[in-house]
Amino acid sequence: MSANQTIEDHGLLRFLTCGSVDDGKSTLIGRLLYDTKAILADTLNAIEKTSQKRGLGAVDLSLLTDGLQAEREQGITIDVAYRYFSTGTRKYIIADAPGHEQYTRNMVTAASTANLAIILIDARKGVLTQTRRHSKLASLVGIPHLVVAVNKMDLVDYSQEVFEQIREDYLRFAAKVGIEDVRFIPLSALNGDMIVERGESLSWYDGPTLLDILEATPGAHSEHAEAFRFPVQYVCRPQDSANPDLHDYRGFMGRVESGSIRAGDAVTVLPSGLTSTVKAVQIGGQDIAEAVTEQSVTLLLADEIDTSRGDMIVKSDEAPAAVKEIRANLCWLSETPLDRARTYLIRHTTRDAKAKLAGIDHRLDVNTLEHLPAEKLAMNDIAEVSFKLAQPIFADPYATNRASGAFIVIDESNNNTVGAGMIL
């Protein structure tokens, strides 16, 4: 490569791995890190020594995630582990969540920011109840891309027939629950076939490797055009008597949750409905040409509008509706059941609103995927519910905008987060 030639940066990709302890998830993650040269030399040396002590002929890559696994098995902590690696063209964050039914809330947490999910299937076992549950949850929280990785192909003699049967079984299930964007790949995490390198045992498969798929997957917010949403976090009014130019400075600080904004764009401030134009977009006091999704910036408006934390600045021609009642898929996170009689706090972007449960339409059985009647929700339950709000929020459907379509439910008595919702 010439000195002035640049490598295209495909941006950050967050993805989720789903599978039971026996499906080879730890080995898959270890293989990805090992084959992309993302393991530090001292870490690699340590797992090589441990593998030798156990009498293994090759490095046991599952040891890279064994620390977390041991904690889970002992019941010490059940949480989401995040692992980071990069290639020449992209950075990655892997969310590794526990897969059992009682840890549904952890998987929902991990999946909420992912743009791709790898559903791991043991080639010897095929599509199981857990496979269907993970796939449904990934679809429910809006992960746009699913990869079904049929692992342990080495234990079925790399049989194309076995792979095709699993593919057919999964597609029948996917059609029933409305999963559309799904790709299939045969692999052996143990031997490294079709992870980063193609290997020599799957010549009948002419599709991309797992890393090829990851490299080509669109990043978050790039699937379709998104409306500009800017929840105000803080109003900046500098007090500096030595600098009279700052006397009239009023900057609205926050993060661009979706869309983009430039100086000169017409905007509306919600809930007041007052309109203005953007005078400047700044980072660190310096003007920039444009702010895009996930950038934290300061907006200066041409008109003086009374604005505070919890308000939302949007482009005038794409304002969301202000609503005081919402329907949503809700994952209940708390050991204390959802109480119809209680008032909760719903936090949507930077805005809080008191809320009461208006009704439970149905609860989802995450194993059978049936819709069941429900009078209450316990920890890890997922249900379609409706809330009535004391103050309006400015929401989009979660399927359209994952940032402004999501909310959390807070117990005011202890400030604990007790639920996570996706607006329908």
Side-chain angles (χ1 to χ4, degrees):
M1 180 180 293
S2 62
N4 59 357
Q5 190 174 354
T6 58
I7 298 174
E8 182 183 356
D9 185 356
H10 292 182
L12 173 69
L13 180 70
R14 298 179 177 93
F15 68 94
L16 171 73
T17 55
C18 313
S20 70
V21 174
D22 299 326
D23 287 341
K25 187 170 55 149
S26 296
T27 304
L28 174 68
I29 295 172
R31 174 62 68 180
L32 259 178
L33 297 175
Y34 181 78
D35 285 358
T36 55
K37 309 294 190 292
I39 305 172
L40 295 175
D42 57 346
T43 303
L44 182 57
N45 186 49
I47 66 171
E48 284 175 344
K49 287 182 177 179
T50 304
S51 299
Q52 289 170 2
K53 286 179 182 177
R54 294 183 178 183
L56 301 175
V59 177
D60 183 0
L61 296 173
S62 69
L63 293 172
L64 286 165
T65 57
D66 261 3
L68 180 70
Q69 204 65 50
E71 287 185 343
R72 287 178 183 165
E73 289 168 359
Q74 294 172 38
I76 298 170
T77 176
I78 302 298
D79 210 342
V80 179
Y82 292 95
R83 313 208 177 268
Y84 308 86
F85 74 101
S86 64
T87 60
T89 58
R90 167 165 258 177
K91 292 183 175 67
Y92 295 93
I93 299 176
I94 311 173
D96 177 18
H100 301 295
E101 179 186 355
Q102 63 266 40
Y103 308 132
T104 297
R105 62 178 184 168
N106 303 83
M107 183 178 166
V108 169
T109 301
S112 63
T113 58
N115 219 47
L116 178 143
I118 298 173
I119 311 291
L120 216 58
I121 293 178
D122 187 326
R124 299 168 300 173
K125 300 175 183 177
V127 177
L128 302 174
T129 297
Q130 189 156 298
T131 310
R132 293 190 287 270
R133 176 162 54 84
H134 290 160
S135 301
K136 177 61 179 179
L137 289 174
S139 174
L140 188 72
V141 299
I143 297 179
H145 306 287
L146 298 186
V147 175
V148 174
V150 183
N151 190 28
K152 302 192 179 182
M153 290 297 296
D154 52 304
L155 299 182
V156 294
D157 297 323
Y158 294 98
S159 168
Q160 183 176 2
E161 185 180 349
V162 169
F163 173 75
E164 293 296 344
Q165 184 61 57
I166 291 173
R167 184 176 179 275
E168 288 176 19
D169 291 346
Y170 187 92
L171 285 174
R172 279 196 296 271
F173 152 74
K176 290 180 182 178
V177 295
I179 295 173
E180 295 177 355
D181 188 338
V182 57
R183 304 180 71 169
F184 298 84
I185 180 170
L187 51 85
S188 168
L190 182 65
N191 296 333
D193 299 300
M194 291 300 162
I195 307 291
V196 174
E197 305 295 336
R198 298 192 67 83
E200 299 177 355
S201 303
L202 289 163
S203 56
W204 50 263
Y205 171 76
D206 58 4
T209 66
L210 181 61
L211 185 64
D212 288 338
I213 293 173
L214 296 177
E215 291 280 274
T217 299
H221 306 285
S222 64
E223 305 291 336
H224 56 265
E226 293 180 333
F228 174 67
R229 300 291 183 255
F230 186 80
V232 176
Q233 293 185 19
Y234 181 72
V235 180
C236 180
R237 295 294 305 273
Q239 303 296 320
D240 187 351
S241 57
N243 190 347
D245 291 340
L246 292 178
H247 180 72
D248 295 323
Y249 186 98
R250 182 193 291 260
F252 303 116
M253 307 177 79
R255 191 175 95 139
V256 179
E257 293 295 349
S258 60
S260 61
I261 196 74
R262 288 174 171 269
D265 286 344
V267 293
T268 299
V269 179
L270 301 174
S272 68
L274 296 174
T275 60
S276 184
T277 57
V278 177
K279 183 168 67 175
V281 183
Q282 297 182 340
I283 292 181
Q286 301 297 314
D287 289 1
I288 61 172
E290 181 182 39
V292 297
T293 304
E294 297 188 358
Q295 274 189 308
S296 294
V297 299
T298 301
L299 299 185
L300 279 67
L301 304 185
D303 303 280
E304 191 167 313
I305 296 176
D306 186 18
T307 304
S308 59
R309 176 182 172 85
D311 291 355
M312 184 180 285
I313 299 175
V314 300
K315 288 183 179 177
S316 296
D317 60 351
E318 53 186 32
V323 295
K324 294 182 73 172
E325 185 164 347
I326 53 173
R327 283 178 55 248
N329 285 313
L330 179 72
C331 179
W332 195 248
L333 311 177
S334 174
E335 295 178 358
T336 305
L338 174 63
D339 188 345
R340 288 174 177 270
R342 291 192 57 182
T343 299
Y344 293 94
L345 199 66
I346 279 184
R347 179 160 297 158
H348 173 263
T349 64
T350 59
R351 189 173 182 82
D352 292 346
K354 290 183 182 295
K356 294 200 76 167
L357 181 69
I360 301 175
D361 185 73
H362 61 258
R363 180 178 67 82
L364 175 70
D365 186 316
V366 293
N367 288 322
T368 65
L369 306 182
E370 288 182 281
H371 290 177
L372 305 174
E375 285 299 315
K376 63 179 183 178
L377 297 184
M379 186 171 70
N380 293 310
D381 279 348
I382 293 177
E384 186 176 313
V385 304
S386 55
F387 282 103
K388 289 188 176 179
L389 314 178
Q391 297 85 26
I393 61 173
F394 320 112
D396 297 290
Y398 185 81
T400 303
N401 192 317
R402 290 171 79 182
S404 56
F407 63 88
I408 59 173
V409 182
I410 296 171
D411 184 335
E412 287 189 287
S413 67
N414 53 25
N415 211 34
N416 286 342
T417 300
V418 293
M422 294 144 281
I423 297 170
L424 297 170

